[in-house]
Amino acid sequence: MTKQETYQTLLLQIEALVAGETDMIANMANVAAVLHETFGFWWTGFYRAEGQQLVLGPFQGPIACTRIPFGRGVCGTAWQRTETVIVPNVHEFAGHIACSSASNSEIVVPILHDGIVVAVLDIDSTDFNTFDAIDQHYLEQIAGML
Ligand code: SME
């Protein structure tokens, strides 16, 4: 299966998963699980916007930092810019927050409600250059379901 085909199958699965549940944290938990299991990422999870910080939400993978200030790291940058940030090599991203030294590339996708960032989806890979426009396209669709 190509990456597109995998994502298309996932989209249907996630649509069905979230359709019957209004609790966002429950939905984030299942979305983190299904993405993590399907692609075998290093870390897959969510941070929720609380005041001026992002606070760790449901995730799969090793323990992570619990709070990230607005504008800091890849997550805080995606929040500030209100747009997806793809980092092919985290070691070259100024201000990257290394929760794990095993992470080499990363994508962060904001989740918007009425144009406001309420959370971000953060995915880390141990490979370099893991994420591209295909991941962005589908992960933004998934973010739109939450
Ligand atoms: N690397 C992120 C921090 C979160 S961990 O990757 C789970 C960042 O720079 O914002």
Side-chain angles (χ1 to χ4, degrees):
M1 255 210 272
T2 64
K3 185 157 80 170
Q4 284 100 322
E5 287 167 340
T6 304
Y7 270 119
Q8 277 160 14
T9 307
L10 259 183
L11 278 185
L12 297 174
Q13 198 183 347
I14 291 171
E15 258 172 12
L17 261 177
V18 303
E21 178 54 64
T22 55
D23 187 281
M24 197 176 167
I25 292 180
N27 286 334
M28 285 174 166
N30 270 335
V31 167
V34 77
L35 284 171
H36 199 74
E37 293 247 312
T38 302
F39 290 106
F41 295 130
W42 173 249
W43 195 93
T44 312
F46 294 89
Y47 283 89
R48 294 174 300 118
E50 294 279 348
Q52 286 300 298
Q53 293 185 319
L54 291 168
V55 183
L56 184 63
F59 72 95
Q60 300 275 313
I63 57 167
C65 29
T66 54
R67 289 175 186 269
I68 298 172
F70 181 76
R72 297 283 299 278
V74 186
C75 291
T77 300
W79 181 15
Q80 186 172 39
R81 292 183 190 164
T82 320
E83 65 185 25
T84 296
V85 178
I86 293 174
V87 183
N89 178 351
V90 296
H91 310 289
E92 291 176 353
F93 185 95
H96 169 255
I97 299 166
C99 290
S100 159
S101 58
S103 175
N104 283 319
S105 62
E106 182 165 0
I107 186 169
V108 179
V109 180
I111 295 161
L112 297 143
H113 287 182
D114 300 324
I116 306 283
V117 177
V118 295
V120 299
L121 167 61
D122 177 19
I123 305 178
D124 286 51
S125 169
T126 54
D127 294 327
F128 291 97
N129 300 303
T130 298
F131 306 102
D132 57 20
I134 295 168
D135 298 283
Q136 176 173 355
H137 174 76
Y138 287 103
L139 293 172
E140 284 178 355
Q141 288 199 40
I142 292 166
M145 294 178 193
L146 291 164

